[in-house]
Amino acid sequence: MDIKSQIIDILSDQLGVEKDKIKLDSKIADDLGADSLDTVEMTQALEDKFNVKIHDEAIKNIKTVNDVVVYLTSKTQ
Amino acid sequence: MPGKIFTLKHTVYFNETNAMGGVAYYSNYVKWQGMAREDYFIKTVPEWKIIMQEVAKGNVNMLTVEEHSHFIRHAFFGDELIIKLQTGDIRKYSFNMTFEMVKSGTDEPIYKGWQKLAFDDFKGKFISIPDPMLKSVIEHATEEEYCKYLKRYEAEQLKTTETK
């Protein structure tokens, strides 16, 4: 499974949003409804899945699903 | 093993009813959620007093971040209610408590509700569910929610097992 699909799986599970509603340009807070707790749970799940540390500064800059994909692609290559 | 149901009995008192036919006032159902929740912690988490000491020291704060209520039937003065509590949606920093209330001697729910609990350090940084509490939370999850929990944290559990 490619990295984008894996990320969408995690976002769907963590945020309770159907996978087909999650697009690359979806805004995690505004479109997918993530609050501060969701963001922390989601970050932890992504860190566990990809075995990386997502720093607080990076989290502040992540607004869309594409931002997550770009960030994790750079960390895992 | 998961699947346990915690129950609390409660009799509806005059001061919990309203002026419209003596039915239990809606906000009391949330109060009863809170009573059942506290009784659950006291009776099912043996280390509850230690956790409360950590709360007093300012290290652990338990937050109610969401609450939902669905009122199905009236309760009246003198009714004996059975409040059933189970857990679900268990994550790293939060879990849900689900509540179902029936009148004693019946199986018909008069109320269903749930709340989401999370933990932080009093400074806004979320922290993991305290381990002694997590054990009880897992035991009181429904089978379905327990399976979801296992699936969600399978990778992490494997890592933990490998490092032991």
Side-chain angles (χ1 to χ4, degrees):
Chain A
M1 196 188 289
D2 64 15
I3 195 166
K4 178 189 151 197
S5 303
Q6 291 180 72
I7 288 167
I8 288 176
D9 273 1
I10 289 174
L11 297 190
S12 173
D13 174 55
Q14 292 291 328
L15 305 178
V17 179
E18 288 172 30
K19 287 180 198 173
D20 61 4
K21 301 237 167 74
I22 302 175
K23 310 293 180 198
L24 276 176
D25 62 354
S26 299
K27 290 178 183 150
I28 293 167
D30 295 344
D31 299 332
L32 305 181
D35 59 20
S36 60
L37 176 59
D38 292 326
T39 303
V40 173
E41 299 275 19
M42 181 191 76
T43 303
Q44 183 68 50
L46 291 167
E47 287 180 342
D48 290 345
K49 178 73 179 176
F50 295 99
N51 203 22
V52 296
K53 173 71 189 156
I54 304 175
H55 296 285
D56 291 347
E57 274 308 308
I59 294 164
K60 283 180 196 162
N61 294 325
I62 289 173
K63 305 290 180 202
T64 67
V65 175
N66 193 54
D67 292 340
V68 180
V69 173
V70 169
Y71 181 81
L72 286 175
T73 301
S74 72
K75 294 285 277 188
T76 55
Q77 274 179 347
Chain B
M1 285 298 291
K4 289 184 180 175
I5 301 174
F6 180 81
T7 61
L8 174 69
K9 279 186 184 175
H10 177 71
T11 302
V12 180
Y13 298 118
F14 269 138
N15 69 4
E16 295 171 322
T17 61
N18 66 13
M20 298 179 71
V23 299
Y25 191 60
Y26 76 98
S27 62
N28 286 300
Y29 292 82
V30 180
K31 184 185 82 176
W32 297 333
Q33 278 194 21
M35 284 164 48
R37 174 175 91 173
E38 287 161 27
D39 210 45
Y40 162 81
F41 286 133
I42 291 166
K43 291 181 177 155
T44 72
V45 183
E47 298 85 352
W48 180 239
K49 284 186 181 170
I50 297 171
I51 294 172
M52 288 309 294
Q53 285 168 7
E54 292 301 309
V55 172
K57 286 180 197 168
N59 296 329
V60 178
N61 180 31
M62 187 171 78
L63 311 160
T64 308
V65 294
E66 202 167 350
E67 188 280 324
H68 289 252
S69 286
H70 179 201
F71 305 98
I72 302 165
R73 299 270 186 277
H74 287 313
F76 296 90
F77 166 71
D79 282 345
E80 186 180 60
L81 305 179
I82 311 290
I83 306 165
K84 300 176 186 178
L85 183 162
Q86 284 198 286
T87 59
D89 201 22
I90 306 167
R91 292 164 192 259
K92 190 92 176 176
Y93 305 98
S94 64
F95 66 96
N96 286 3
M97 283 184 164
T98 59
F99 300 87
E100 184 180 287
M101 300 184 196
V102 299
K103 291 185 187 179
S104 188
T106 75
D107 290 329
E108 192 182 2
I110 65 163
Y111 170 91
K112 289 183 180 181
W114 61 268
Q115 57 181 250
K116 180 178 285 296
L117 296 174
F119 299 84
D120 79 359
D121 62 355
F122 282 101
K123 298 181 193 81
K125 181 176 166 39
F126 289 108
I127 57 176
S128 301
I129 302 169
D131 280 341
M133 191 181 290
L134 180 60
K135 182 174 179 289
S136 172
V137 167
I138 291 170
E139 286 175 355
H140 288 81
T142 61
E143 288 286 344
E144 186 186 353
E145 290 293 332
Y146 180 63
C147 289
K148 278 189 205 167
Y149 170 74
L150 285 183
K151 190 179 168 198
R152 187 172 283 145
Y153 295 107
E154 198 171 26
E156 188 179 329
Q157 283 162 358
L158 280 173
K159 265 190 259 172
T160 308
T161 309
E162 282 166 6
T163 54
K164 276 182 184 171

